[in-house]
Amino acid sequence: MEEKVNSLEELLKDSPTNWGRWGKDDEVGALNFLDRQEVLRGIKAVRQGKVFTLQVIIGSDKGDPVWPGRTSAIRINVNDKGYYLAGKNKPLYGGLEYADDIIIMFLQGTTQIDALGHTWYGDRIWNGYNAIETIGGLNKASVLPIAQRGIVGHGILIDVAWCKGVESLSAGEEITLNDLLSCAKKEGIEIQKHDILLIRTGWIAQFFKKGPAEFYKNFLEPGLTYRKELVEWFYKMEIPVLGTDTIANERTTHPETGIVLPLHAALMRNLGVIFNEILWLEDLAEDCRKDNQWDFLYVGAPLKINKATGAPINPVVIK
Ligand code: UVW
């Protein structure tokens, strides 16, 4: 009888890797594919002057969509008119008053970029660095080098929900490589090497529509999952960035083995693909359906936070 695969080591034993491809000190992985030619290719997609921002709002009245166990952002006013009225603060010389606030949040608690060292298995993070490097702050493969470089390239939207004729994919619904390719065909585009790949499932919009109680019930996100041919396709196509409107960019578990977030291992840790999660794609998708332009210039940079495991980002797309 065949034994059930129950570890990432076993599941990914023949999976490709980009470790060492950009030298032993690399910390930005597949972002290296986005060279000057790719920036110019992205700029060529700007044909109409339309601008879209892809971040979800932090601190909505429904809270923030986050991975279970994480909590919504807490934003607190620490100065405002009330402080002046209560005599707790005085106007500046000349009469100027001001409001101030602070925020306490998970750095992965909104639209964000994962550092390449964010997840690992077998005690090795991206490029083979020792997982010891994550203790107390990421000494290797933190989000900072990605933030310093910026992410600019030719992006495409694959609107899988629209291609399947639904408002949102259902819990646990898998997106296969064939779904991606046939949806691109329906949109009239061909996915090209080095494209920044944005996939719409309609899932995050359900958080804001239905609220957290319904959203987190039997939490099982839809999306891509580990399939040998899918990972080999990412490798061959040299996809630099994967972004989706889900919390974790992939089906929560691998259907056959139950292994959790296998693409964080196969794509992020092994191939160095940059993950842009919790995207707001509703407005962009609506526009793409109207004008039938599915490609664009993608521009974004996560916040420059030293040693961080990830950081918020508000990507800008220009068509
Ligand atoms: C986890 O790391 C669990 O998820 P994410 O990549 O969505 O932050």
Side-chain angles (χ1 to χ4, degrees):
M1 203 174 68
E2 222 177 276
E3 292 236 338
K4 190 182 165 194
V5 170
N6 61 11
S7 71
L8 284 164
E9 259 111 347
E10 285 176 88
L11 186 67
L12 306 182
K13 66 178 186 320
D14 301 321
S15 213
T17 134
N18 279 327
W19 290 9
R21 183 170 184 160
W22 297 284
K24 67 175 183 31
D25 297 325
D26 180 77
E27 299 181 275
V28 299
L31 213 47
N32 284 292
F33 291 128
L34 295 183
D35 58 14
R36 287 163 58 174
Q37 289 311 313
E38 290 302 326
V39 173
L40 296 175
R41 188 166 74 88
I43 288 170
K44 282 201 195 117
V46 179
R47 302 192 278 275
Q48 307 188 65
K50 292 181 183 172
V51 175
F52 299 86
T53 58
L54 305 188
Q55 189 210 310
V56 297
I57 294 169
I58 298 173
S60 86
D61 53 14
K62 296 214 167 64
D64 301 302
V66 292
W67 178 255
R70 294 180 185 146
T71 46
S72 287
I74 303 169
R75 194 199 58 78
I76 308 164
N77 264 24
V78 291
N79 196 35
D80 54 29
K81 186 68 189 174
Y83 284 73
Y84 296 99
L85 291 173
K88 290 188 176 155
N89 204 354
K90 287 197 186 80
L92 298 173
Y93 180 71
L96 193 73
E97 298 179 346
Y98 61 95
D100 259 356
D101 45 6
I102 58 171
I103 193 161
I104 300 164
M105 66 180 291
F106 278 80
L107 291 177
Q108 267 96 357
T110 185
T111 309
Q112 50 100 8
I113 294 288
D114 278 333
L116 286 182
H118 172 51
T119 59
W120 64 90
Y121 63 94
D123 285 341
R124 297 280 149 186
I125 60 176
W126 160 249
N127 220 22
Y129 299 121
N130 197 311
I132 294 286
E133 300 287 0
T134 66
I135 295 178
L138 266 54
N139 293 311
K140 294 285 179 193
S142 81
V143 81
L144 185 60
I146 299 171
Q148 284 168 324
R149 183 179 170 115
I151 308 170
V152 182
H154 181 262
I156 51 163
L157 176 68
I158 306 293
D159 190 348
V160 176
W162 174 68
C163 285
K164 287 180 181 251
V166 294
E167 182 181 325
S168 166
L169 298 197
S170 52
E173 188 170 347
E174 180 177 346
I175 300 173
T176 63
L177 177 57
N178 194 42
D179 289 334
L180 286 186
L181 300 180
S182 60
C183 189
K185 201 165 172 195
K186 180 171 171 181
E187 293 175 353
I189 60 169
E190 201 179 322
I191 306 175
Q192 295 171 60
K193 225 172 169 181
H194 302 163
D195 275 347
I196 293 176
L197 187 59
L198 305 187
I199 300 174
R200 177 176 171 269
T201 65
W203 186 252
I204 280 296
Q206 301 306 305
F207 173 89
F208 295 101
K209 192 172 170 189
K210 296 182 174 157
E214 179 83 18
F215 182 79
Y216 289 114
K217 203 156 60 183
N218 305 320
F219 184 79
L220 183 65
E221 291 201 290
L224 301 171
T225 189
Y226 173 75
R227 300 291 174 208
K228 195 172 177 331
E229 72 278 7
L230 178 86
V231 174
E232 279 167 0
W233 180 85
F234 265 81
Y235 179 65
K236 185 185 81 188
M237 294 298 286
E238 301 180 344
I239 299 295
V241 180
L242 170 66
T244 75
D245 59 346
T246 65
I247 287 171
N249 261 7
E250 58 175 305
R251 191 186 192 274
T252 307
T253 54
H254 180 243
E256 290 78 23
T257 63
I259 288 174
V260 182
L261 302 183
L263 291 182
H264 276 60
L267 298 183
M268 185 196 296
R269 175 211 188 247
N270 292 352
L271 294 187
V273 175
I274 305 298
F275 275 29
N276 186 183
E277 298 169 332
I278 320 183
L279 284 166
W280 180 255
L281 296 175
E282 297 305 293
D283 301 314
L284 174 64
E286 196 186 332
D287 191 73
C288 294
R289 293 194 291 264
K290 273 192 202 133
D291 69 8
N292 205 31
Q293 182 182 334
W294 298 90
D295 70 334
F296 37 77
L297 173 69
Y298 172 108
V299 182
L303 297 178
K304 294 180 182 178
I305 306 177
N306 199 19
K307 295 180 185 277
T309 64
I313 182 173
N314 182 12
V316 176
V317 152
I318 311 167
K319 288 169 76 176

